[in-house]
């Protein structure tokens, strides 16, 4: 169980202290994370990240590691690179890379998420040592506003924990991979984490009504029910299932929800609606929204390509030119680059929604008819 709750502990210290000072004197401020959330709430769109109110008000769910990991993710780093906020990108990038190295779970992974093996050993160890040096140099303001090393205060737990994790990973790699009769060809650090044990305990606890201290009889009864009826699945515990590791996989529990609930497809009848022409016009989209819409347009192209069988039509959906810089920044080889036509349709859609919001003083349009009218108008504008 090498991977400790490093992002969670560092998030707690970062938000509590408010300001971290690097060894070179640069300040890393928590308020910029809050400003980023406010910006996304104001614009109504997110730039390819999962930042929400739960990440800011983390005290209500302080045991969820996934919220802390998303806070230090590369998607937040992308926003700082775009200079939308004055977040220190190097700090976030280093923490994200170190967490990826300590959380590798795919033998075919690439980059920081690649397994530790002879070909990637030097890069992985270099990332861990760089993060260790960064964390050792962090300082906070103590009494009389004097800078004190973070590892010398009561908030030293994430620093000491990460150093122990990083050095333990290096030692385990040398024992399991680099020895003459080594049993492994590579090391997946996620297999060493305690997530699997926590998922199992979460399933046991759920059968006891979330009893934090079950007795022997209650544990035995819950264990029997898990063996007979269901497999351990991801739930609302402290961690999420990150790979295909199965626990107590005796019988699958797949249910056709549509058949169970009796859901039938409903045909939407679109009627003529001339109220769109009377709404206030919105001709300008902010730079933030243009970047977000370009990113969303790529996802739309990816979904359409799964259903389009016409090759010329499929090629017309994408374009190597006129791609927004944000899409280029986020692309790691798997993003679709939307054509200018698809991006234009998405921008028109956003302006239509903004017209309704402005007309209703910020309230979303109610009912199916409004959405149907927007889709109808957009469809007609594409063909006429």
């Amino acid at each position: 169980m090498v991977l400790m709750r490093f992002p969670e502990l560092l998030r707690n210290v970062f938000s509590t202290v408010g300001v971290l000072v690097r060894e070179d004197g640069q300040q890393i401020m928590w308020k910029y994370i809050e400003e980023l959330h406010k910006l996304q709430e104001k614009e109504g769109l997110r730039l390819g990240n999962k930042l929400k109110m739960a990440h800011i008000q983390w005290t209500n769910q302080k045991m969820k590691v996934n919220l802390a990991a998303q806070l230090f993710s590369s998607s937040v780093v992308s926003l700082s690179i775009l200079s939308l906020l004055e977040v220190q990108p190097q700090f976030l990038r280093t923490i994200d890379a170190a967490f990826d190295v300590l959380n590798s779970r795919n033998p075919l992974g690439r980059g920081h998420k690649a397994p530790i093996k002879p070909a990637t050993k030097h890069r992985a160890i270099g990332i861990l040592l760089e993060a260790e040096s960064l964390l050792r140099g962090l300082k906070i303001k103590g009494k009389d506003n004097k800078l004190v090393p973070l590892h010398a205060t009561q908030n030293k737990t994430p620093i000491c924990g990460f150093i122990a994790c990083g050095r333990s990973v290096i030692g385990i790699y040398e024992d399991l991979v680099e020895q003459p009769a080594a049993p492994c060809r590579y090391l997946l650090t996620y297999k060493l984490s305690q997530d699997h044990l926590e998922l199992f305990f979460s399933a046991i606890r759920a059968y006891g009504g979330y009893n934090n201290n079950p007795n022997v009889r209650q544990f035995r009864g819950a264990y029997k029910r898990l063996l007979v009826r269901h497999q351990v699945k991801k739930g609302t515990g402290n961690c999420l299932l990150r790979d295909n590791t199965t626990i107590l996989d005796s019988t699958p529990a797949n249910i056709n929800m549509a058949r169970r609930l009796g859901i039938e497809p409903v045909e939407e009848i679109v009627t003529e609606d001339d109220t769109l022409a009377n709404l206030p016009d919105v001709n300008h989209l902010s730079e933030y929204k243009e970047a977000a819409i370009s990113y969303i347009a790529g996802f739309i192209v990816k979904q359409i390509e799964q259903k389009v069988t016409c090759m010329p039509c499929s090629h017309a959906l994408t374009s190597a030119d006129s791609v927004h810089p944000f899409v280029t920044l986020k692309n790691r080889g798997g993003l679709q680059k939307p054509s200018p036509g698809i991006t234009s349709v998405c921008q028109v859609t956003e302006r239509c929604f903004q017209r309704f919001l402005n007309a209703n003083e910020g309230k979303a349009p109610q009912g199916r008819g409004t959405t149907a009218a927007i889709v109808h108008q957009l469809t007609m504008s594409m063909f006429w």
Side-chain angles (χ1 to χ4, degrees):
M1 300 178 185
V2 174
L3 182 58
M4 297 179 66
R5 312 181 80 89
F6 165 64
E8 177 187 351
L9 297 174
L10 184 61
R11 185 272 319 273
N12 297 352
V13 174
F14 186 24
S15 61
T16 303
V17 174
V19 179
L20 298 176
V21 182
R22 293 180 50 176
E23 194 171 10
D24 56 3
Q26 294 184 355
Q27 292 185 348
I28 307 167
M29 299 186 180
W30 173 261
K31 71 175 184 179
Y32 292 129
I33 302 294
E34 297 176 343
E35 292 296 328
L36 169 59
H37 171 68
K38 293 179 181 178
L39 175 62
Q40 295 191 141
E41 290 294 319
K42 177 182 177 181
E43 296 290 345
L45 296 172
R46 289 204 295 260
L47 276 178
N49 63 80
K50 299 181 179 180
L51 189 63
K52 53 186 178 182
M53 183 59 68
H55 297 84
I56 306 300
Q57 299 179 355
W58 55 268
T59 53
N60 298 327
Q61 305 177 72
K62 61 176 64 177
M63 293 299 293
K64 289 188 176 295
V65 185
N66 61 307
L67 294 179
Q70 293 166 1
L71 185 67
F72 294 108
S73 65
S74 57
S75 58
V76 179
V77 177
S78 301
L79 295 181
S80 61
I81 294 176
L82 286 175
S83 298
L84 293 176
L85 291 172
E86 297 179 6
V87 182
Q88 296 292 340
Q90 185 62 33
F91 172 74
L92 298 178
R93 186 187 295 110
T94 303
I95 299 302
D96 178 61
F99 185 69
D100 286 342
V101 171
L102 295 175
N103 200 34
S104 60
R105 55 183 180 274
N106 189 350
L108 302 178
R110 297 180 179 180
H112 302 321
K113 299 181 180 180
I116 304 179
K117 52 186 178 181
T120 62
K121 177 187 71 171
H122 296 290
R123 180 175 58 183
I125 294 178
I127 292 173
L128 295 179
L129 294 179
E130 181 185 359
E132 179 180 337
S133 176
L134 173 65
L135 294 174
R136 281 179 177 272
L138 291 179
K139 300 178 181 180
I140 61 175
K141 291 183 179 181
K143 297 181 179 179
D144 300 330
N145 290 330
K146 293 183 178 180
L147 295 179
V148 181
L150 182 60
H151 62 80
T153 64
Q154 296 181 350
N155 298 319
K156 61 182 179 181
T157 305
I159 311 298
C160 298
F162 175 81
I163 294 175
C165 285
R167 296 184 179 181
S168 298
V169 165
I170 297 175
I172 291 176
Y173 168 79
E174 293 175 351
D175 293 339
L176 297 181
V177 180
E178 289 196 335
Q179 295 297 329
C184 302
R185 294 179 299 171
Y186 53 83
L187 177 64
L188 294 176
T189 52
Y190 179 70
K191 302 296 183 180
L192 306 174
S193 70
Q194 62 183 10
D195 284 8
H196 311 294
L197 182 61
E198 290 200 14
L199 290 170
F200 171 72
F201 180 72
S202 176
I204 294 291
R205 186 175 59 179
Y207 274 102
Y210 284 87
N211 182 9
N212 292 325
N213 190 22
N215 55 36
V216 176
R217 178 177 297 180
Q218 292 170 341
F219 175 82
R220 184 172 57 187
Y223 187 74
K224 287 182 178 179
R225 286 194 293 270
L226 284 174
L227 284 175
V228 174
R229 298 187 59 185
H230 294 291
Q231 56 183 337
V232 176
K233 293 185 176 181
K234 61 180 181 180
T236 57
N238 298 332
C239 60
L240 299 177
L241 184 63
R242 298 293 184 180
D243 62 357
N244 56 356
T245 301
T246 55
I247 308 174
L248 303 182
D249 190 6
S250 57
T251 56
N254 299 325
I255 301 176
N256 190 332
M257 297 302 296
R259 183 182 302 174
R260 178 183 175 185
L261 300 177
I263 300 176
E264 298 291 338
V266 179
E267 181 179 357
E268 184 71 32
I269 302 177
V270 181
T271 59
E272 292 293 335
D273 191 350
D274 57 352
T275 58
L276 294 176
N278 299 325
L279 294 177
D281 193 12
V282 178
N283 294 321
H284 177 70
L285 293 177
S286 64
E287 181 182 358
Y288 177 95
K289 282 193 174 181
E290 289 181 356
I293 291 172
S294 300
Y295 185 75
I296 296 173
F299 174 76
I300 294 175
V301 169
K302 182 178 180 180
Q303 297 298 316
I304 295 178
E305 283 185 337
Q306 298 177 0
K307 300 181 180 181
V308 174
T309 58
C310 175
M311 292 302 297
C313 298
S314 179
H315 292 319
L317 296 173
T318 60
S319 175
D321 302 328
S322 303
V323 179
H324 196 277
F326 179 73
V327 178
T328 305
L329 178 66
K330 292 281 291 184
N331 188 19
R332 298 182 180 178
L335 291 183
Q336 295 290 346
K337 299 178 180 179
S339 64
I342 296 295
T343 305
S344 177
V345 170
C346 294
Q347 290 177 351
V348 172
T349 305
E350 175 62 24
R351 284 197 290 267
C352 287
F353 278 111
Q354 288 300 316
R355 292 169 65 185
F356 276 103
L357 291 175
N358 293 341
N360 294 298
E361 297 181 354
K363 297 181 180 180
Q366 301 293 327
R368 288 177 160 182
T370 305
T371 305
I374 295 177
V375 175
H376 177 68
Q377 187 190 46
L378 291 175
T379 306
M380 297 301 294
S381 64
M382 291 174 61
F383 290 98
W384 295 96

